[in-house]
Amino acid sequence: MTAAASREAFGSRAGFILAAAGSAVGLGNMWRFSYQASEGGGAAFVLLYIMMTLMLGIPLMLAEFGLGRRGQLTPIGALRRLAGRGWARIGYVFVIGGGLILSYYSVIAGWTVRYAIDSIWHGFPGDSGAHFASVASGSGAIAFHVGFMAATIAIVMAGIKSGIERVSFVLMPALFLIVVGLAVWAFTLDGAGTGYTVYLQPDLDELLNPSVWRAAAAQAFFSLSLGMGAMLTFASYLGKDQDLPGAATIVAFTDFGVAFVAGLVVFPVIYSLGLQGAVSQSTVGALFIALPGAFDAMGAIGRVVGLFFFVALAVGAITSTIALLEVVAASVIDEFGISRRTAALGAGVAITLLGILPATNLDLLGLMDKIAGELMLIAGVLVISILAAWILRHEVAEELAAGASPFWRRQVPRIMAVLRWFVPPVITVILLVSLKETIAAIVAFGG
Ligand code: TRP
């Protein structure tokens, strides 16, 4: 029995789009985006981020969709089948990158669950810095990480249609409702205006800062789940009749929309209480300190709002962790021909064990995010653009046209031209900036 003969598939187009959007919408949108925006000059970052999503993100997502549906296999097998053995090695790097991201991502997801539970039982503590330090260390951090991974493993074991697709159908609409509701509430806060100004009024100096460019591009890749074969894997479960460009556009706009609206919650809340200083206290923990501090200062209403906020984060996180584990598990299934249950369990347990390291060491977590969540993704999208637009140009163009609406079919040559001439050079520059910064971060970690 070959993997292709028994390949699973999504039950519906909406199911695929919700699952892909579920993978994209996650901690990246609500925690990482707001943090990056506050570091990168607020609105300047937001503006660059929109540009990166449109000019790089959507074409790259299409490159992954095209390669995945064409290959009908996960990254390793698809690259081997389409481009030869040498490329399959890059597929391994993708899968390892996905495993690395999942190992620390689940740790952060565990914090969100813990904050949500805490808000029910005793509200948000006055000293949110000390509270975060205790949440993000010791056996508690490990326990919540293990719990989150257990839930992830259970869903992936259930399969594409009855696991991932079904969960996304329920959770994604719930998440939209909560985030929009929170943004409406944040609008009513006294002093929300300052938050909006910082968030939406660009600082022109920051617009020309290469670091902000690098940060905006890396954030776009992370948030759209690009550069490690996740979208490639999802597309491998699709039929030829699906409109790939249409789907990519919906997924990218949904992802941007949730990040943007989450910013409309985070900035007013933090600025209305004058807590912006707390955001730069610690890189990974920023929002886990500043926001709970604000919720605490708001009393009872803060407790309710905080509960919804952290529940939304946890919901976004689980639809992403299942996608991350899916990439690793599906690769194991395709490569070794073992059952889904065994593959999901085996890969999940290995990643859970690896995650114990970042669960107990915040600096390591930050470093892993820089290496696997930025540098490897940037290198990954560069490889994908070259593969899709230089080496497998005709195959990918054909794939993007198949099933596309007449409008999108006419755009395919343009999309391919962007992927061929624009995307690789821009990403090469971004990769060099990122390389420099990552080396500095590794040196700082060692010293
Ligand atoms: N996009 C996810 C988020 O914003 C994180 C992520 C990166 C991801 N790469 C992925 C999720 C691959 C699933 C698959 O939170």
Side-chain angles (χ1 to χ4, degrees):
M1 184 184 77
T2 66
S6 61
R7 193 154 195 78
E8 292 176 78
F10 281 102
S12 65
R13 172 174 169 80
F16 165 71
I17 290 178
L18 281 174
S23 128
V25 174
L27 297 173
N29 302 60
M30 299 166 79
W31 155 74
R32 214 166 178 279
F33 178 81
S34 294
Y35 166 66
Q36 302 265 351
S38 62
E39 291 288 282
F45 175 87
V46 178
L47 211 63
L48 288 171
Y49 179 79
I50 298 176
M51 276 170 48
M52 298 293 179
T53 300
L54 294 177
M55 302 295 296
L56 303 176
I58 294 180
L60 283 163
M61 187 179 295
L62 282 173
E64 285 206 27
F65 278 178
L67 291 170
R69 190 171 65 179
R70 186 79 174 190
Q72 288 291 306
L73 283 170
T74 43
I76 304 170
L79 296 195
R80 184 187 298 119
R81 180 182 280 175
L82 297 173
R85 294 204 160 272
W87 289 90
R89 279 189 219 121
I90 291 178
Y92 280 102
V93 179
F94 286 172
V95 175
I96 291 169
L100 282 173
I101 293 179
L102 179 53
S103 74
Y104 72 83
Y105 195 95
S106 155
V107 171
I108 305 171
W111 303 343
T112 67
V113 174
R114 179 125 172 224
Y115 273 97
I117 293 175
D118 278 357
S119 72
I120 299 175
W121 293 116
H122 20 257
F124 295 97
D127 186 350
S128 55
H131 182 66
F132 174 70
S134 80
V135 166
S137 63
S139 54
I142 298 177
F144 278 87
H145 155 66
V146 171
F148 209 90
M149 282 301 300
T152 304
I153 293 170
I155 299 169
V156 174
M157 280 169 79
I160 291 295
K161 209 153 128 184
S162 38
I164 294 179
E165 186 170 343
R166 191 188 290 170
V167 167
S168 305
F169 250 117
V170 179
L171 292 185
M172 291 308 290
L175 183 132
F176 296 139
L177 285 180
I178 297 178
V179 178
V180 170
L182 288 174
V184 171
W185 163 80
F187 180 73
T188 65
L189 291 173
D190 281 337
T194 327
Y196 292 134
T197 311
V198 176
Y199 184 37
L200 300 174
Q201 202 173 72
D203 169 352
L204 292 178
D205 288 345
E206 295 286 347
L207 266 185
L208 300 174
N209 179 346
S211 274
V212 179
W213 280 67
R214 192 272 312 150
Q219 174 62 18
F221 304 152
F222 183 88
S223 191
L224 293 169
S225 307
L226 299 173
M228 43 150 287
M231 291 300 175
L232 188 157
T233 303
F234 271 7
S236 77
Y237 300 118
L238 276 187
K240 295 279 179 204
D241 53 341
Q242 297 293 333
D243 180 344
L244 297 180
T249 315
I250 298 176
V251 172
F253 276 92
T254 307
D255 186 61
F256 172 73
V258 174
F260 185 76
V261 177
L264 293 177
V265 180
V266 170
F267 280 81
V269 169
I270 289 181
Y271 279 86
S272 69
L273 289 152
L275 289 169
Q276 53 276 21
V279 176
S280 40
Q281 252 177 41
S282 107
T283 49
V284 278
L287 288 177
F288 289 92
I289 297 172
L291 278 175
F295 295 143
D296 169 54
M298 290 171 182
I301 179 86
R303 227 166 125 170
V304 177
V305 169
L307 172 63
F308 275 110
F309 185 83
F310 284 106
V311 165
L313 271 169
V315 165
I318 193 122
T319 55
S320 296
T321 54
I322 56 184
L324 282 160
L325 183 58
E326 174 63 24
V327 176
V328 183
S331 302
V332 174
I333 298 171
D334 282 352
E335 286 301 294
F336 302 107
I338 59 175
S339 78
R340 169 170 282 276
R341 299 182 73 82
T342 317
L345 191 63
V349 168
I351 292 167
T352 306
L353 293 176
L354 179 64
I356 292 176
L357 298 173
T360 49
N361 184 341
L362 265 190
D363 292 329
L364 179 65
L365 193 157
L367 185 68
M368 287 172 80
D369 185 43
K370 268 222 155 302
I371 295 175
E374 292 198 346
L375 185 64
M376 285 175 75
L377 295 188
I378 299 173
V381 291
L382 181 60
V383 170
I384 284 170
S385 64
I386 291 171
L387 191 61
W390 287 92
I391 298 172
L392 296 164
R393 175 155 61 113
H394 301 295
E395 290 87 339
V396 170
E398 198 179 290
E399 204 59 51
L400 293 185
S405 68
F407 168 78
W408 281 115
R409 212 171 306 135
R410 284 195 301 278
Q411 308 307 316
V412 168
R414 278 182 214 139
I415 296 169
M416 293 308 294
V418 169
L419 267 175
R420 197 166 151 87
W421 302 109
F422 177 75
V423 173
V426 174
I427 297 178
T428 305
V429 175
I430 292 167
L431 183 62
L432 293 176
V433 178
S434 176
L435 207 54
K436 201 177 120 209
E437 292 181 0
T438 308
I439 291 172
I442 293 174
V443 171
F445 182 77

